[in-house]
Amino acid sequence: MAREVWNTRVGFILAAIGSAVGLGNIWRFSYMAYENGGGAFLIPYFVALLTAGIPLMILEFGLGSKFRGSAPLSLKRAKKSFEWIGWWGVIASFIITTYYSVIVGWSLVYLLKAFTLGWGTDTGAFFNNELLHVSDSPWNLGSFSYPVLIGLLATWLIIWFVEKRGVQAGIERSSKIFIPLLWVLLIVLVFRAITLEGSINGIEWYLKPDFSKLTDIKVWQAAYGQAFYSLSIGMAIMITYSSYLSKKSDIVNNAFIVSLADGAFSFTMGFAIFGTLGYMAYAKGLGIEEVVAQSIGLAFVVLPEALNMLPGLKALTAVAFFLCIVIAALSSLISLVEAFASSIMDKFEMKRGKAVDLTIGFGLLFSLIYATRGGIYWLDIIDHFINTYGLIIVGILETIAIGWIYGADKIREWVNNYSDIMAGIWWDACVKFVIPVALMYIVFVDTRSNLAAPYEGYDLAAIMIGAGVIVLGILISILTPFINKEVK
């Protein structure tokens, strides 16, 4: 079965940027900078990007383009015993897909509400009580939240439509629409934010450099974590996407473009977020530290409240903000689904239509738990464990398998064949030493924290189920290579 290819280099780059730029770029980077030295955080972040993010992106682009397969197949073609590493990346991505799709569903509800600011004046009550109907514990799932369920079904329908059309007509074409529109919306949001009274105070808090933080190992840990999580590496996506490249593609240059575009989007979004929070603090007569929040609370509680308070263009700004979230989330979700679908197409010699149907069918089935009243608890627990023991572990295993066993020099020689920028010995050093050491330290710190106290105070049984999902995923990854029907 002939492998699909991108129609243009631009299409590949836009699709890869679409995968990398996701929800974390909107609500994670700016808060990480604010918490870890403001403008000074840019120094460890840029160092992390150059020594971990971009080198691992080059590694994954090199694997996919050289071995012309999904993550499991590419790693197997490097060395048969590596196949399970690819499957762990694929399964970890699938687990993320199940709850990421629900967050997209929330975002679609908010996008519809944005036209009339329909979340009302108490945004916290709207999110927790009216939309999610949050129960009192993870064990009390209750009924579905029907707005969330409808949003979830709409999300999967959109993804199904794009994925069924294939690489060129589906993923590439949608990326050529989504990603330019995403940047236009970003510019609109930044311009609106910086014209608000008090916005400069918020931006100052965002960028105010605290160079004393540079001696704090936790800040460097945060920088390396951000560089890793934000680029969709370790998720089997970039190996899959690069497997659709033509043979004479500029791998190194592509990796730099995608990685720097992702960082630029995150950094620029910070001006929109903190500019708006600056206005909110000014209007309330409070300090920035009293209105800022992180993660889901920032996007779905704090910023809707800030949008309510704007002096004008409230609905227009709200629509632009949530359309930005929806597009970023959809483009990332498309790539997550493609990573899984491509893997089962390769493994079972399956046609795209059937592979997409199976992927989305199982994805929808497993995502239903997150649309219940207790779903947000399980989303939080699973997300916590899968990010550390899924994605980061995959990154560590890839660098050991390719850097030390297969040979980093072999991938370096391959990617340099048609690249304008050469990957030199610096790249080997990053892959063999810097990346595994940095990622191992992150795993060590997170594990120590998990053993010291239950995550977020959840009871031990809930934590054990979250950890059990990870263990089950690893077992499936180890066993899957023993299924024989596959592309040779």
Side-chain angles (χ1 to χ4, degrees), residues 183-370:
W183 284 88
V184 169
L185 291 168
L186 174 63
I187 292 168
V188 169
L189 289 169
V190 170
F191 182 77
R192 179 65 184 127
I194 63 176
T195 60
L196 295 170
E197 199 164 3
S199 63
I200 191 66
N201 295 327
I203 293 170
E204 184 179 346
W205 271 89
Y206 169 45
L207 294 178
K208 183 179 179 180
D210 179 359
F211 291 105
S212 67
K213 292 276 192 179
L214 297 183
T215 59
D216 187 347
I217 189 66
K218 291 180 181 177
V219 172
W220 289 87
Q221 175 199 343
Y224 274 89
Q226 177 64 30
F228 182 84
Y229 290 128
S230 182
L231 291 174
S232 293
I233 43 185
M235 296 185 181
I237 294 168
M238 295 307 179
I239 297 176
T240 301
Y241 270 12
S242 59
S243 73
Y244 302 135
L245 284 168
S246 60
K247 290 185 178 180
K248 297 183 179 181
S249 296
D250 188 329
I251 299 301
V252 180
N253 204 9
N254 286 345
F256 270 91
I257 291 170
V258 172
S259 302
L260 294 175
D262 175 77
F265 186 94
S266 298
F267 176 67
T268 307
M269 179 57 78
F271 288 88
I273 298 294
F274 273 86
T276 305
L277 291 177
Y279 169 77
M280 182 181 181
Y282 166 81
K284 285 188 163 188
L286 301 172
I288 293 292
E289 69 278 6
E290 296 177 84
V291 299
V292 73
Q294 63 173 317
S295 192
I296 288 169
L298 174 64
F300 296 106
V301 177
V302 175
L303 283 171
E305 181 183 354
L307 292 166
N308 284 346
M309 300 172 64
L310 295 182
L313 302 175
K314 297 180 182 181
L316 183 62
T317 309
V319 169
F321 177 69
F322 282 104
L323 184 58
C324 190
I325 286 182
V326 167
I327 290 174
L330 280 174
S331 58
S332 295
L333 187 56
I334 287 167
S335 68
L336 287 163
V337 169
E338 179 63 20
F340 190 88
S342 178
S343 298
I344 62 174
M345 286 164 63
D346 284 350
K347 184 67 179 176
F348 302 105
E349 299 180 349
M350 193 179 294
K351 291 185 177 179
R352 169 171 288 274
K354 185 177 180 181
V356 169
D357 289 343
L358 284 173
T359 303
I360 290 180
F362 281 110
L364 172 59
L365 179 65
F366 288 113
S367 66
L368 291 176
I369 188 174
Y370 303 110

Side-chain angles (χ1 to χ4, degrees), residues 58-69:
I58 293 171
L59 173 64
E60 294 203 343
F61 279 0
L63 277 173
S65 63
K66 180 178 176 63
F67 294 112
R68 315 293 294 170

